[in-house]
Amino acid sequence: MHVSGQYWGDHPKLFADISLGETPEDRLLNSTRWFISTLSSSYYTRSTKVGMEKKPYNPILGEQYFGKWSGDEKAGDLILTAEQVSHHPPIMGFHLENEKAGVILEGHCGQKSRFAMPAGVDVSQTGHAILSLPKFNEKYLITLPNLNIRGVVTGRPTVELSGTTYIVSSAGMYAAIEYSTKGYFSGEKHSFKATLKPLSGDGAPFYITKGTWSGASEVKKGNDGDWETFFDAQEDKSVPPELKPVSEMDEKESLKLWTKVTKAINEKDYGTASKEKSQIEEAQRALARARKEKGETQADALVLFSLVSEDADESGKAFVSLKEKLIAVAGPKAIKEDDQKPHWRLRK
């Protein structure tokens, strides 16, 4: 799939609403609701409606994507910037910000895949996101789910999420989001259950939410509260970003880069699609050889993002601190980082 990361901003109001929570507990709940809202567009819609899992895109190093969601005077605009920061292994850096609302998301995501029986692929998503709320001096570490893709051979891929992901708040609490491929929590596919609890001790959960991440879910306060609507992906539809005309895009922007491939696929001219894709890939191999001869690395080909150390900025320091807190409550396997443990940040 070509570079995008658009799903992070598919529900701009929910993203902005994170900062409207009056208490740290409510802001964590708002963060959890927004995160659940990103899952349907990212892992369900694109495989069942758009079919992107089977399109022959292979993001190139330095590929870029820009998106904007315009808000009113009160809500503010949401701006997305993304760049493919590594080709081997594939890693995308992203930065999403609503300056008016005071909500910032930055991080990177990569993938490690292996074939699984029967006729599927299991994907371990590496990387993380750091959500910042400057007004409250709060930061949140967000980890990424595992993907189980089935139906690859038949051309009808479906995606399930598995394992547990976490949202860890610097205010001393966390959300553990468990995914089930068999409908354990709701009796349906794509089910999940999220428990929001203090990081310290064995305190009771202050919020519990469950349902399906591709459909409806509900929430209750504590163990004895009444269930209320949490989020419904079928009712609260995603909002497409505003994009520049392709004619005004840079050659490295995803939509322009893959225009000929996409056109051929839509016309079911797979021979032309394969030819156009091969030309893009061969051009990348030539650039890689030239970089090697000059002694340059993949990072030297980037324009938007830089590789920084863990203590280079506040987000890096927050990552270290929140990671340690997460490991203390969930163990070392709770976060999956890339082998080189990169931290990609948008250049200022």
Side-chain angles (χ1 to χ4, degrees):
M1 178 179 173
H2 52 78
V3 169
S4 173
Q6 173 185 319
Y7 53 88
W8 290 116
D10 270 346
H11 291 84
K13 184 178 184 303
L14 294 183
F15 187 78
D17 284 352
I18 294 173
S19 62
L20 295 182
E22 295 183 358
T23 67
E25 289 83 359
D26 288 341
R27 291 191 288 276
L28 178 60
L29 182 67
N30 289 352
S31 300
T32 305
R33 181 184 290 107
W34 159 77
F35 179 74
I36 294 299
S37 80
T38 71
L39 301 179
S40 180
S41 295
S42 179
Y43 306 120
Y44 177 71
T45 306
R46 82 184 191 202
S47 64
T48 58
K49 296 180 181 179
V50 185
M52 296 189 76
E53 302 298 348
K54 56 186 178 183
K55 289 184 179 180
Y57 298 117
N58 185 19
I60 69 167
L61 182 65
E63 186 174 334
Q64 302 168 356
Y65 184 89
F66 303 94
K68 176 182 178 181
W69 292 262
S70 294
D72 55 30
E73 185 176 341
K74 181 180 179 181
D77 297 339
L78 180 59
I79 307 296
L80 169 66
T81 304
E83 184 175 33
Q84 191 73 15
V85 296
S86 175
H87 187 64
H88 294 295
I91 303 172
M92 178 185 70
F94 53 85
H95 183 101
L96 189 70
E97 181 170 0
N98 184 325
E99 184 176 3
K100 186 83 173 181
V103 187
I104 305 166
L105 183 81
E106 55 187 348
H108 70 277
C109 58
Q111 296 183 342
K112 294 181 179 180
S113 305
R114 65 179 181 86
F115 288 105
M117 297 298 290
V121 178
D122 287 343
V123 180
S124 174
Q125 292 198 106
T126 59
H128 66 272
I130 295 291
L131 179 72
S132 301
L133 304 178
K135 177 182 176 181
F136 302 98
N137 194 29
E138 290 178 355
K139 291 187 182 294
Y140 302 74
L141 168 63
I142 302 172
T143 66
L144 308 175
N146 293 325
L147 280 60
N148 305 123
I149 305 173
R150 299 295 180 263
V152 176
V153 174
T154 62
R156 294 180 176 274
T158 60
V159 179
E160 277 283 9
L161 305 183
S162 62
T164 304
T165 60
Y166 301 89
I167 304 177
V168 187
S169 168
S170 60
M173 56 198 69
Y174 74 108
I177 308 170
E178 303 173 73
Y179 306 94
S180 171
T181 61
K182 298 180 181 179
Y184 179 80
F185 303 116
S186 66
E188 300 180 65
K189 290 183 177 180
H190 310 147
S191 68
F192 79 93
K193 179 180 180 181
T195 306
L196 283 63
K197 301 174 63 175
L199 276 166
S200 58
D202 298 321
F206 46 85
Y207 284 113
I208 299 173
T209 175
K210 68 177 182 178
T212 61
W213 50 264
S214 60
S217 53
E218 52 188 357
V219 62
K220 69 176 181 178
K221 203 165 188 176
N223 287 317
D224 302 318
D226 296 326
W227 290 105
E228 300 177 357
T229 299
F230 184 58
F231 176 73
D232 190 335
Q234 302 304 315
E235 294 294 329
D236 191 351
K237 300 296 185 181
S238 61
V239 179
E242 301 166 17
L243 304 174
K244 295 181 295 185
V246 173
S247 60
E248 297 178 12
M249 291 182 178
D250 185 88
E251 295 298 326
K252 278 196 172 184
E253 292 189 49
S254 288
L255 294 181
K256 187 165 187 175
L257 175 69
W258 297 97
T259 293
K260 293 180 180 179
V261 177
T262 301
K263 181 176 183 293
I265 290 173
N266 291 337
E267 295 174 351
K268 297 185 178 181
D269 184 356
Y270 301 116
T272 298
S274 178
K275 177 183 176 181
E276 294 292 344
K277 177 175 180 287
S278 296
Q279 289 179 352
I280 293 173
E281 292 175 338
E282 183 52 44
Q284 287 304 298
R285 294 187 189 99
L287 289 173
R289 289 192 293 269
R291 283 196 304 273
K292 185 176 181 179
E293 291 175 358
K294 295 178 182 178
E296 297 178 347
T297 66
Q298 288 189 123
D300 293 315
L302 304 179
V303 175
L304 304 174
F305 285 76
S306 298
L307 182 64
V308 301
S309 62
E310 291 183 341
D311 59 355
D313 60 10
E314 291 304 314
S315 290
K317 295 175 183 176
F319 168 74
V320 175
S321 174
L322 294 172
K323 178 180 70 171
E324 292 174 351
K325 289 179 171 62
L326 174 58
I327 291 174
V329 297
K333 293 184 179 180
I335 184 165
K336 307 180 295 294
E337 286 303 293
D338 303 287
D339 294 338
Q340 66 211 57
K341 291 184 171 54
H343 297 270
W344 295 95
R345 299 288 180 259
L346 183 67
R347 296 177 182 177
K348 303 299 183 181

